[in-house]
Structures are given as structure tokens and as C-alpha cells.
Amino acid sequence: MSVQLSDHFTYGKLFRFTLPPIFMMIFTSVYGVVDGFFVSNYVGKTPFAAVNLIYPFLMLLGAFGFMFGSGGSALIAKTLGEGDRIKAKKLFSLFIYVSIILALVIMGVSFFCLRPIAVLLGAEGELIDYCVTYGQILLVALPFFILQFEFQTFFITAEKPGLGLFVTIFSGVTNMVLDYVFLAVFDWGLPGAAWATAGSQIVGGFISLIYFALPNKSLLRLTATGLDIKALVKACSNGASEFVTNISMSLVSMLYNFQLMRYAGENGVAAYGVLMYVSFVFVAIFLGYSVGVAPVISFHFGAKHPKELKNLLKKSCIIIAGFSIVMLIAGELLATPLSKLYVGYDPELFDMTERAFFLYSFSFLFTGVGIFGSAFFTALNDGLTSAIISFLRTFLFQVAAVLILPLFLNLEGIWCAVIVAELLATVVTVVFLMANKKKYGY
């Protein structure tokens, strides 16, 4: 029997409903890991560093997908909880159509800005050319990239998380296969890696678009709609935290790379790239759970079920705590083999990456609290509180830590910056959860 948004959620039902989005996020991260492996081992250290320099900028452009996906999903699920399915479909359609238009505009403007952006990020010589080559190819797929992230959330709201997982797996396998064919077989170099990633994004976005455009058995379908400014503003405010998170993460990644170029040069950027690829898999568990449970929270908020909100919060906190401990242990155990997998061909780079991973893994103890807390308030349609948590966690605390700690700890200060930032974000999240208990009745 399928789990519905309106159900009372036991631990069993929570896991059954959230496991597909958890695996969806993990798999999305895993094929990113595979992508990085092929670039590092088949193309070389310099192109790998170039990818890690320009990719945060490309992720920044995709932030609209996260905003409309999370913010729009919260509003749609709340509307479903209020019993208005027709309005929910119109809102869903509006968010998709607006996203497509925005994506096309952003793609056109950004195509000509990549070279100065690469220079601004610290690229020099052939690094600049690699950044531009990789970035321009991925921009071709930007509309589908944005849609792919939106639909990952909308599949859950439509009570079809398993289908969302299938699309993600199919898209990921496409990326892996194309990586092997374009790099290992045809030896196309960095352009081959870029086309492999772009191809997978086009596949993921297009399949989802077709599914929701045709008659289906889910709660959502693309229909005729009208321009609802109030709904767009509400979706943007709901999703402000996700928008802020992605912009902040992109900007902070650029700052990390800038600092690493100063303290460790190209090796530092390459080591950080490995950390980012692998840590995405760990963080994906927290993201997947938060994305999966958010529509349930929004539904019961709209249906005015405070007891179920309290139940969901309590069980979620216990689950997040368990994940956090497992993630720390896994990070410490896998630091050496994963570092060797990526950069074992360079002893100096391997030593730097391994040490960075041992330190960075301690951040997994705290990461889940901030991610879930932000998603929880987004689901309650409290975009302001969610955005504050997200801004502090992903930007202010990170920027302060990565600028200050290296002054005292040199390179290790950069690796420890995320630990300090996530710890401070955990404290802030707990304060907000306690302060809003009476307001939302949980």
C-alpha cells in the first residue's frame, strides 16, 4: 500500500516515503562523483581543477530550480492539504512555465560572461580556456538542469517519489555511460565530460516534463494557468532559503578556491574538488530526507494537524541524529580509499586530500540539523526563518570561518572552517525551533 501525505507517520512510513528521495539525492551525488573520477583520471589535474573552479558558478545559475522546487512545493502541498487540487495543479504549472522562461534568459546572458567570471575566480592561462569550454557546453542544458531539480521535489509532492528516483537513476546512468564512452573510448577530453553531464541533465529534465505534460495518476499535471503574482512571490519567499543556500554555497565555494589558490595553489583546489564531490554523497542523505519529509509537513500544516507536526519533528530529529553519527564514522573510514581513488596518481596531492577529508568529516555531525531546520520552516511556509538559518549556515558563518581560521591554522584552517560553520548553524537552528513552538503548535 502506498504512503499518502495525509497519513499518520510512524518511523516505518517515514522511511518508506523518504527513502526514494534519499536515494535520489545520493544517486545524483554518486554520478557527480563518477564524473569527477573520469575527469581527474582521464583528462588530468589541471582540467579537474578548472571544472571545480567554474562549477560553483553554474550551480549558482541553477538556484532558481531549487527555489521554485522547494518553495513552490511547500505552497502546492499546503494547497492540497486545504483540499483544492485544481488550484494545486495551476500553481504547479505556473512555476514550471516561469522557470523555463527564466532559464532561457539566464542561459543567453551567461553564455558571454564565462571568461571574465573564470578570471575573477582566479583562473590563469590554460585554466581559463578549460573553464570556458566546460561552462559553455553545460549552459546548453541549463533549462533542463533547472527543471530536473524542480521535478525532483514535485515528484514527491505528487506522491510519486519512486518515479522521481527512477528518472534520477536513468539520468545518472546516462551520465556514467557517456563519461566512459566520451572519455575512455573516444578520448574527447574535457568537452566529452561536459557533454556527458549536459546529456544526462537534458534526459532527466525532458522525461519529467513529458510525464507531467501527459495524463498521469499523480496529484499533479501541467495544465492551463494564469499569472498569479501573489503565488509567485509566496513561492519565492518560501524557497528563499534554498535560493540563498545555492547562491551562498556557490559563492563560498569560489571563496574557498580563492583561499586555496593562495595557501596551496592548484593542488589545494583539486583536493577541495575531491572533498566536494564526495561530501555531496554524505550530505545528500540529509538533503534527501529533508526534501522527502517537507511535503508531508506542508500538507499537515495546511490541514491544521499540530499533533502530527509534533510527531514529524520529533521523529525527524531522532533520524537526523542517527544519520549524523553514521556519516562521521563513514567519513573517517573512507577518507583514505576515496582520496586514493581520485588522486592516488599524485602522492603530494593524495596526502593533502586525505588529511583534509579526516578533518572535514567532523562537519557531518552537525550538517543535518541546519539542513533539516531550514527545510522544516520552508515546509511551514515560513520563508524568512528558513532563509535566515540558510544564510547564516551557508554564507555568513562559512565566510567568517574560511577568512579567519587560516590566519591561525594556515591550510588546516580552511579544512576546519566548515566544522565551525555547521556547529554555529546547529545552535541557531535549535534556538529557532524552540522559539517557534507555540506559533506553529509543534
Side-chain angles (χ1 to χ4, degrees), residues 381-405:
N381 285 250
D382 186 349
L384 178 61
T385 301
S386 179
I388 291 173
I389 293 173
S390 182
F391 175 76
L392 292 175
R393 173 182 165 262
T394 61
F395 188 76
L396 187 61
F397 293 155
Q398 293 262 14
V399 169
V402 79
L403 289 177
I404 295 173
L405 290 183

Side-chain angles (χ1 to χ4, degrees), residues 33 48 52 256 260 267-283 331 335 338-339 342-343 352-361 363-364 411 414-416 418:
V33 168
F48 183 58
N52 292 305
Y256 268 82
L260 285 164
N267 274 359
V269 174
Y272 181 65
V274 175
L275 282 184
M276 290 302 95
Y277 277 116
V278 178
S279 68
F280 284 157
V281 179
F282 290 84
V283 174
L338 288 175
S339 298
Y342 271 90
V343 293
M352 181 184 295
T353 305
E354 181 186 42
R355 176 60 178 167
F357 211 113
F358 277 127
L359 294 172
Y360 194 97
S361 295
S363 68
F364 300 144
L411 180 59
I414 299 178
W415 308 134
C416 292
V418 67

